[in-house]
Amino acid sequence: MTLQPVVPAIGSPPRAAVASGAAQKHVRVETAGLIADPDSIARRAVAAAQAGAAVLVVRNSVAGAVAVAQAVAALAPDLAFRVNGVATLHHGRFAATDRRLLDGAVEHGFGKRRSAGGRILVGTQTLEQSLDIDADFLITDLAPMDVLLQRIGRLHRHARDDRGTFGQARVLVLRPEERDLTPWLDAGRRERHGLGHVYPNLLHLEATLRLLEERPDIAIPRDNRLLVERALHPQALAVIQQQGGRAWINHGNRLAGGVVANGEKASTVALDLSRRFDELVFPDDMTAVTTRLGARDLLLDLDTPLSGPFGREVRRIALPGWMTGNASPGAPVERLDDRRFRFAGRDYLYDQWGLRPDA
């Protein structure tokens, strides 16, 4: 039997808007097989910062971001992003009280009115959202083209005349050491760096990487539509499946099957909004209805607060669903010391690098 490529269709292909008459931002893109080497990533960031650049490092996973932030802090502590004098980074596993401090420090150090001079900010996708960041040099993990364009939007965001040798926006896209992404189709691979996990569609990643290798010089917003459609359009993905053979075709088929399964699951709890409100039929168990498929986070209240890493007490913290196992939301929370607590038989640590299981 001959396998045929099936590309999952999720609405219309993503598009990036092109602003009429907008000033063009010319960007030089380089790719490097360093995604699994936080020390080398840190050295590239430090070299650029020592040359005067405001460097933004965006990683696909919290673990990857923490590894680079710790390497930067060890290699060049004077260049590391800090909050109240404490070296840290920006991601979603901080308590709300500390997240507000982080957001303020990001906009102060990397916003429109930032001072000149080298510095390094490391984080995750949280840096793409609602923060006014103006960096000179971007180091980013490989991601789908529309996501990369969002990250590239943090480069040269405002007019400045003090960028020195970084007068042209520059991006370093991190890929696996081996250029072939086929091994990453294995769902059991341990260190994924977001490839096939945070961004499950490896067809998007392969198409994006091929396009950036082909076009290392791009102009934004002029090229936005071309880049997005050539990297994410179903026809472009079908070509990769046809060229890549059985492994890529099977990957596309699995993705398509997942889209169908998720759609059927959503349809069981969807409301018929064509009806009057008093005619709507609500599911018997609304606890299963969430905005995303998957585990739910738990919001924990601490009777005895933790000592936050930036000088504020932490009385409430969100625990990601994947960390909780099958824990009941009503399980007691036990404070172990200033930075550690126990919930449902598991220990957790909260410090300057965020929340994580305590090994």
Side-chain angles (χ1 to χ4, degrees), residues 24 48 68 72 79 89 115 119 158 270 315 321 334 338 340:
Q24 299 299 324
V68 172
V72 168
L79 298 174
L89 73 165
S115 59
R119 66 204 67 188
H158 301 293
R315 295 182 174 274
E334 177 187 359
D338 285 351
R340 292 173 172 82

Side-chain angles (χ1 to χ4, degrees), residues 6-327:
V6 177
V7 179
I10 310 177
S12 300
R15 292 195 175 190
V18 179
S20 177
Q24 299 299 324
K25 176 168 62 181
H26 294 272
V27 183
R28 178 70 180 181
V29 181
E30 175 191 356
T31 64
L34 301 176
I35 201 168
D37 190 346
D39 291 331
S40 292
I41 298 168
R43 284 194 292 270
R44 293 290 293 264
V46 168
Q50 288 174 337
V55 182
L56 180 63
V57 182
V58 182
R59 309 225 62 195
N60 292 338
S61 69
V62 171
V66 169
V68 172
Q70 290 176 337
V72 168
L75 187 61
D78 57 317
L79 298 174
F81 172 68
R82 293 177 178 272
V83 173
N84 293 339
V86 179
T88 186
L89 73 165
H90 195 282
H91 60 66
R93 292 189 209 150
F94 283 95
T97 52
D98 287 338
R99 180 64 180 271
R100 287 190 286 271
L101 291 175
L102 286 163
D103 289 352
V106 166
E107 295 202 338
H108 176 75
F110 286 80
K112 183 176 182 178
R113 295 178 176 82
R114 68 173 173 86
S115 59
R119 66 204 67 188
I120 302 169
L121 170 61
V122 183
T124 62
Q125 296 90 330
T126 57
L127 293 173
E128 303 167 15
Q129 306 162 3
S130 304
L131 292 171
D132 183 12
I133 296 175
D134 178 10
D136 300 317
F137 179 42
L138 170 66
I139 301 176
T140 172
D141 285 346
L142 177 63
M145 182 62 78
D146 54 338
V147 176
L148 287 182
L149 288 174
Q150 183 76 6
R151 297 177 185 180
I152 291 171
R154 271 49 189 161
L155 280 174
H156 289 216
R157 190 176 181 89
H158 301 293
R160 301 180 66 95
D161 57 7
D162 58 2
R163 300 189 192 275
T165 58
F166 291 84
Q168 179 183 8
R170 290 161 54 184
V171 180
L172 176 63
V173 177
L174 307 171
R175 59 163 176 79
E177 183 177 7
E178 295 296 330
R179 170 58 184 84
D180 181 14
L181 296 186
T182 304
W184 298 84
L185 298 173
D186 177 10
R189 194 180 184 103
R190 290 180 58 83
E191 296 297 330
R192 302 200 63 87
H193 309 288
L195 310 183
H197 174 55
V198 177
Y199 301 109
N201 193 326
L202 282 156
L203 291 165
H204 288 168
L205 300 180
E206 175 65 26
T208 295
L209 186 53
R210 290 186 185 188
L211 187 53
L212 293 177
E213 291 168 339
E214 175 188 330
R215 296 176 65 98
D217 292 290
I218 60 177
I220 306 298
R222 183 196 69 194
D223 296 337
N224 283 10
R225 178 170 179 171
L226 178 147
L227 292 169
V228 170
E229 291 193 348
R230 286 190 58 185
L232 304 182
H233 195 281
Q235 291 180 356
L237 307 185
V239 170
I240 294 174
Q241 290 181 271
Q242 291 165 348
Q243 295 176 346
R246 182 180 295 270
W248 284 101
I249 291 174
N250 288 341
H251 177 63
N253 291 343
R254 285 194 298 271
L255 291 170
V259 170
V260 172
N262 288 343
E264 291 178 349
K265 186 178 295 185
S267 68
T268 64
V269 295
L271 300 178
D272 183 357
L273 298 182
S274 66
R275 296 188 176 189
R276 290 161 46 97
F277 181 79
D278 57 2
E279 297 175 342
L280 292 176
V281 179
F282 291 87
D284 292 334
D285 182 8
M286 290 294 290
T287 61
V289 182
T290 58
T291 55
R292 294 189 182 190
L293 298 172
R296 291 173 295 153
D297 296 351
L298 295 179
L299 193 61
L300 304 182
D301 288 309
L302 307 169
D303 292 335
T304 303
L306 301 175
S307 297
F310 313 123
R312 291 188 178 180
E313 290 186 340
V314 174
R315 295 182 174 274
R316 171 175 285 187
I317 195 164
L319 197 62
W322 67 266
M323 285 190 191
T324 66
N326 296 319

